[in-house]
Amino acid sequence: MLTEEIPVDAIEKKTCIQCEVIIDAACKYCNSCGARQSPAVEPERVDRWSLLQQAAIFFVLFLLVCCASKFIDDLQSFGWLLFFEVCIASLAVAFFAMDWQENKRLLQWPNFTISKLSLYCGIAMLGAFLVHYSVGWLNVTIFSREEELYSEFSGSYYADFLLIFFMAVTPALFEELGFRGYLLNVLLKVADKGQAIYISAFLFSIIHLSFISLFWLIPFALLIGHIRVKENTIWYSIFFHFCFNLTSCLFQIL
């Protein structure tokens, strides 16, 4: 008995939940980005409210740490700064690890090219240059003062190293792990791609507790959120964030 061949066009297709490439409906993993695919009936079973509650807990804890480090005068010391950095790092790592089987793919670096990395880093440094002078002008015009980054480092033998470590290295690693790693991934499960990027960018801007800086923080967060989703890895956004903050530190040092 001859077996009737099924036409290729008749094979059921679906869109990858992460990179939106068309794949066979039976595929459990995307052939392009490797993202685990949910069965067709599974989205109806996803407890979106539970995911949002979890994300809200992450954001509130992160915000509380940022508020304490900025607004409580008795906690403005190097020791407390180190404590708050450990808290932020722990929050980012803990929440990212909650869904390790899915989130670990973001630590991979598919389709890496040095030219693309150089382009992103160049854009970040140019953006930092523009932000430095615009924010400096606003501070002088509105508040009649120059911006200082962690003045408690002044006089320290390792002041420059500490400034770069706390302003460029740790934010690039742990803010990206928390916001573009954990939080954005959660939002992509309960909203479409555009909404997820916008919401994560807005929340990221809030935790910096600087109203005057919203004009650049929101576009900055939107751009690195788009990069994270487009590239299916957090490494480009980490380097982008690092180069942006490093350039700002160099303006302070030089």
Side-chain angles (χ1 to χ4, degrees):
M1 180 182 295
L2 296 176
T3 303
E4 183 181 355
E5 293 186 2
I6 301 176
V8 175
D9 294 341
I11 298 176
E12 188 178 352
K13 302 289 185 178
K14 66 180 178 181
T15 302
C16 173
I17 62 173
Q18 182 62 37
C19 67
E20 299 184 352
V21 169
I22 303 300
I23 58 177
D24 292 347
C27 291
K28 293 184 178 181
Y29 296 90
C30 176
N31 296 327
S32 178
C33 69
R36 183 179 182 275
Q37 305 300 304
S38 301
V41 297
E42 190 171 336
E44 299 299 327
R45 301 177 183 175
V46 171
D47 190 348
R48 296 187 176 187
W49 178 240
S50 177
L51 288 174
L52 288 174
Q53 284 181 315
Q54 186 185 96
I57 291 173
F58 165 79
F59 176 73
V60 169
L61 291 175
F62 211 102
L63 183 62
L64 287 175
V65 173
C66 293
C67 287
S69 65
K70 184 167 185 177
F71 297 125
I72 301 180
D73 293 337
D74 292 339
L75 305 182
Q76 305 301 312
S77 66
F78 176 75
W80 279 108
L81 171 63
L82 184 60
F83 171 77
F84 289 131
E85 289 294 330
V86 171
C87 289
I88 286 175
S90 300
L91 280 172
V93 172
F95 277 85
F96 185 84
M98 282 184 177
D99 194 1
W100 174 248
Q101 290 304 314
E102 181 174 350
N103 289 339
K104 67 180 181 180
R105 64 181 176 78
L106 295 175
L107 300 178
Q108 300 172 0
W109 205 334
N111 304 319
F112 166 78
T113 64
I114 191 64
S115 58
K116 185 184 294 186
L117 178 62
S118 300
L119 174 62
Y120 286 142
C121 291
I123 294 173
M125 296 174 73
L126 176 61
F129 178 85
L130 296 175
V131 167
H132 172 78
Y133 285 105
S134 58
V135 170
W137 178 82
L138 286 173
N139 278 321
V140 171
T141 303
I142 299 175
F143 302 110
S144 300
R145 61 177 175 81
E146 292 283 352
E147 182 184 29
E148 291 188 5
L149 303 175
Y150 289 135
S151 58
E152 60 265 32
F153 295 152
S154 300
S156 170
Y157 182 76
Y158 300 105
D160 294 347
F161 169 78
L162 293 174
L163 180 65
I164 292 174
F165 180 78
F166 285 107
M167 280 296 297
V169 177
T170 57
L173 285 173
F174 300 114
E175 288 179 8
E176 291 307 305
L177 200 66
F179 281 84
R180 254 66 60 181
Y182 163 74
L183 185 61
L184 184 54
N185 237 25
V186 169
L187 293 173
L188 286 169
K189 296 177 182 177
V190 299
D192 63 42
K193 182 170 66 175
Q195 291 172 333
I197 292 174
Y198 274 98
I199 294 171
S200 65
F202 180 71
L203 296 178
F204 175 79
S205 302
I206 289 177
I207 59 104
H208 287 79
L209 304 172
S210 176
F211 177 78
I212 199 173
S213 296
L214 289 178
F215 81 94
W216 69 264
L217 275 170
I218 292 178
F220 172 84
L222 286 173
L223 179 56
I224 53 180
H226 175 74
I227 291 172
R228 207 292 275 154
V229 171
K230 176 184 177 182
E231 304 294 348
N232 294 310
T233 178
I234 62 172
W235 288 111
Y236 283 117
S237 57
I238 285 176
F239 275 90
F240 188 101
H241 199 154
F242 171 75
C243 289
F244 184 96
N245 286 14
L246 176 63
T247 304
S248 300
C249 291
L250 293 178
F251 277 115
Q252 181 79 12
I253 293 170
L254 302 177

